[in-house]
Every structure is written in structure tokens, then in C-alpha cells.
Amino acid sequence: MNRDVLYEPYSIHFETLETFPDKESRKNFFELVFILSGTGQHCINKHSFSYSDNHMFLLTPQDCSQFWIGTKTRFFFLRFSNIYLKSDKISKENIKRLEFILENANHKPGCILKNQTDKTLVRPIVEALIREAVNKDLYHSDITAQLINTLIVIVARNIAKYLPQKIDETSESRIISILNYIQANIYEPEKIRTETICKEFGFSENYLGKYFKKHSGETLQSYLNNYKTTLIEHRLKHSNNRISEIADELGFTDESHLNKFFKTQRGKSPKAYRLEFIKS
């Protein structure tokens, strides 16, 4: 396997295989797998999908994933380890996008590039990343970081267009815009209040609730609570941030406020949740 560990938040791998290893350790935060060439089947959580050139898959640490290679396949892996490290390699906005991608990882399995034009857009980015990893020319680390940040935005766009489950390419653009707005402002409580969202999109408060549930399959408050809870879980699992730091970053009044919210959502304190995860 060719490998270029560029910085702690992510690493790049690429190789050509005729058979895929039976088991692979999944200790990374998550990874994107791009098929440069070849055909076969990708099995994820007992669901199997055909793959071919320009397909991209999103894998999380919890996924049971296996590639069954039909014809010799050239793989590209972009693996994220700890995106919460203080680093200028991933912009703050793109860390939020990565959280959005992971929070919505349970989208339709299969290739995550739903926009056909994005498949041709992603390929030259992947090829450029490989060239930079091989050649290590002047400023290669900076160029690689720029390419990865661009790739994150493209993947976030493809995920956003198909979530929640009721949302697809036929959905109204307004619900997609509302979800994108929430994703961009989830760290600022004042901006995701019902009255603020109504003002932003020209809805009455009564109509917004009905509209959101009709087009997303859940209430606005439920969506916000689940989103915040998942972000807290990610930090408890994948960062060493103190509970007070998590509370401050996610806009809670204080640590006590976060503890009460999380216990209501998950039935246990954040500290207990983190300890259980570490033990498991």
C-alpha cells in the first residue's frame, strides 16, 4: 500500500488490488473510498452494491464493510482520524461540514456522489492528491490541504441533497435550504430558534412546523435535538475535549445545561457515555 501520512487529522492511501483483505482494522474516524478503475461489489452492513469507475463510498468506524473485487481495482482512501485537533489543514467551516457528513452517514448506501457531474469533478481532485503524495514537490502539503478541503465541500453537497430520508432530488429546494442553514448555524443557538428561521425563510411559526415535518419526516425540534446530540457524541468519542469545552463550543449555557440535555436524550450523562465508549 502506498501511504502518505500528511498530518494527524487525515491520511492518504492508494493501491491496486486483485483481492481485498478479509479484515481491516477500523480505528479511524471515518474514510472516503474512491474507485479509480475496476469493478466489483461493495458490501456494507449486509447490503451489497456494484461499483465501477468514479464511485465513492463513505465508511464510518461502526460500518461492517467489505469489497469483493471482480476486475483488478485501483482504490484511493482518504482516512480521517481526529479532526478536532487544532490544525490549519482543515478549516473550521469544513470541520463543521465533516460533522454534518458523519451525522448524516446513514444515507442511502452505495455511491455517495449523487450528482453525476460531481463524479467527473472528484476524479481530477483525487488524481491530483495522488500526484502530490508521490512527487512531494514544493508546497505539496499546502496544495494537498486545499484539495482535501475542496473534496469535503463536494461530499457535503452530495450528502445534503439527499437528507433526511424523505428528502430526495424531487424535494422542494426550500427544505434543503433550511437544512443547510441549520447545519451552518448549529453552533449558534440564537440563529436556529424557530422565530429566527421563520424570519430567514419567510414562514409563520405555525406553518414552519408543519412544513418541516411534512418534508423531513420529523419535527424541527426533534431534528435539532438529534443533531446536537450526535455532535456531542462525536466529541465524546473522538476528542479529548472536556465536557465544559464541548458545552461552550455547542452553545450551551454551561456544563450543567449540556449534562441535563444529553441525559434527557440518551438516558446517561456525557461522562458515563464517554467511559462506556472507552471500555467498549
Side-chain angles (χ1 to χ4, degrees):
M1 176 181 284
N2 299 290
R3 176 174 300 192
D4 181 29
V5 179
L6 295 163
Y7 211 81
E8 285 297 323
Y10 54 75
S11 61
I12 288 173
H13 312 251
F14 46 94
E15 60 182 332
T16 301
L17 295 172
E18 293 187 356
T19 58
F20 203 84
D22 288 337
K23 292 184 179 179
E24 186 172 355
S25 175
R26 279 227 187 285
K27 296 181 180 179
N28 295 286
F29 189 51
F30 69 94
E31 68 179 338
L32 295 168
V33 183
F34 186 77
I35 307 298
L36 287 150
S37 63
T39 58
Q41 294 282 317
H42 177 223
C43 180
I44 182 168
N45 303 327
K46 299 183 180 180
H47 298 284
S48 184
F49 304 87
S50 298
Y51 73 76
S52 58
D53 298 8
N54 301 324
H55 282 180
M56 177 175 272
F57 301 94
L58 170 65
L59 307 180
T60 74
Q62 290 76 35
D63 287 328
C64 178
S65 171
Q66 178 67 36
F67 286 93
W68 295 320
I69 298 174
T71 60
K72 187 191 305 185
T73 300
R74 190 176 177 217
F75 292 94
F76 169 86
F77 302 91
L78 175 57
R79 293 174 176 169
F80 295 89
S81 51
N82 192 339
I83 65 172
Y84 299 112
L85 288 177
K86 296 189 183 302
S87 163
D88 59 357
K89 298 300 179 181
I90 302 178
S91 70
K92 186 175 180 180
E93 284 303 310
N94 275 343
I95 288 176
K96 293 179 182 179
R97 288 191 176 101
L98 284 172
E99 289 185 319
F100 174 73
I101 291 168
L102 189 60
E103 194 271 337
N104 291 296
N106 295 323
H107 64 286
K108 287 183 179 179
C111 178
I112 63 172
L113 299 177
K114 305 301 182 182
N115 280 344
Q116 291 302 309
T117 54
D118 280 346
K119 290 183 180 180
T120 56
L121 181 59
V122 166
R123 186 178 185 93
I125 295 175
V126 169
E127 290 174 339
L129 284 167
I130 292 173
R131 286 195 301 272
E132 292 300 322
V134 172
N135 297 328
K136 293 184 173 62
D137 205 345
L138 191 63
Y139 303 127
H140 84 96
S141 181
D142 293 329
I143 292 171
T144 295
Q146 292 292 334
L147 291 168
I148 287 177
N149 275 285
T150 301
L151 195 58
I152 289 168
V153 176
I154 295 170
V155 171
R157 173 168 72 183
N158 279 266
I159 297 294
K161 289 192 69 174
Y162 292 85
L163 293 168
Q165 290 184 353
K166 276 196 169 187
I167 293 179
D168 57 29
E169 63 272 23
T170 65
S171 295
E172 286 191 16
S173 60
R174 283 191 299 175
I175 188 63
I176 297 171
S177 296
I178 292 171
L179 293 172
N180 287 338
Y181 173 86
I182 291 171
Q183 178 264 322
N185 296 287
I186 193 68
Y187 299 87
E188 301 180 59
E190 292 297 325
K191 290 188 177 181
I192 56 173
R193 293 185 185 279
T194 300
E195 55 268 30
T196 307
I197 297 174
C198 286
K199 185 175 180 180
E200 182 74 20
F201 292 94
F203 287 118
S204 68
E205 292 190 24
N206 185 49
Y207 182 68
L208 175 63
K210 294 177 181 178
Y211 177 86
F212 192 91
K213 186 168 184 180
K214 176 182 178 181
H215 291 280
S216 71
E218 60 183 314
T219 66
L220 175 59
Q221 193 58 53
S222 174
Y223 180 80
L224 290 171
N225 287 345
N226 289 334
Y227 199 158
K228 286 182 181 179
T229 302
T230 306
L231 292 179
I232 295 167
E233 288 177 335
H234 292 166
R235 280 165 170 74
L236 294 173
K237 290 178 181 178
H238 306 295
S239 82
N240 294 321
N241 293 1
R242 296 190 295 271
I243 307 298
S244 59
E245 292 175 326
I246 298 173
D248 182 63
E249 187 176 5
L250 293 178
F252 288 89
T253 307
D254 51 27
E255 183 176 340
S256 177
H257 183 200
L258 184 145
N259 282 332
K260 184 177 180 181
F261 171 84
F262 191 83
K263 193 166 185 178
T264 299
Q265 294 296 114
R266 290 292 180 264
K268 63 189 72 173
S269 70
K271 183 178 179 180
Y273 183 90
R274 175 175 267 170
L275 288 173
E276 284 185 13
F277 176 77
I278 292 171
K279 289 179 180 178
S280 66

